[in-house]
Amino acid sequence: TIWAVIAVELINPTGQQVADEGGWEGCDRCRRAFASVFMANITLFQTVVAGDSWGYMAIPVIESNPPLAIIFVGSLMTLVFGV
């Protein structure tokens, strides 16, 4: 999806930084959550559609780089409104 492509380009660098700073200790998948379009799709599905891991996955990224909330909120709004 377009949100996954955007996530790879914009969230992945911040995700790597969060992982380097120890923001996701004990999570093997978190470092690679946005490393490819496929992985970003799975992560967005897990976070937005299933509602799982919002606090664990998205919050550290948003705290590190607040404008990235637009990607999470945008993908959620796409799902909610079916755009």
Side-chain angles (χ1 to χ4, degrees):
T1 64
I2 189 67
W3 290 114
V5 173
I6 294 168
V8 169
E9 292 298 319
L10 299 179
I11 295 178
N12 190 47
T14 301
Q16 297 301 317
Q17 177 185 349
V18 168
D20 290 342
E21 294 170 355
W24 290 320
E25 287 186 30
C27 178
D28 295 332
R29 186 184 178 283
C30 294
R31 178 177 286 282
R32 55 189 166 84
F34 298 102
S36 69
V37 174
F38 177 73
M39 294 302 291
N41 268 316
I42 291 173
T43 303
L44 289 173
F45 180 83
Q46 175 188 8
T47 305
V48 176
V49 176
D52 187 24
S53 300
W54 264 105
Y56 197 68
M57 183 65 66
I59 300 299
V61 171
I62 293 169
E63 286 178 343
S64 180
N65 191 347
L68 293 178
I70 294 169
I71 297 169
F72 290 104
V73 173
S75 61
L76 177 63
M77 290 299 112
T78 301
L79 174 72
V80 168
F81 295 117
V83 176

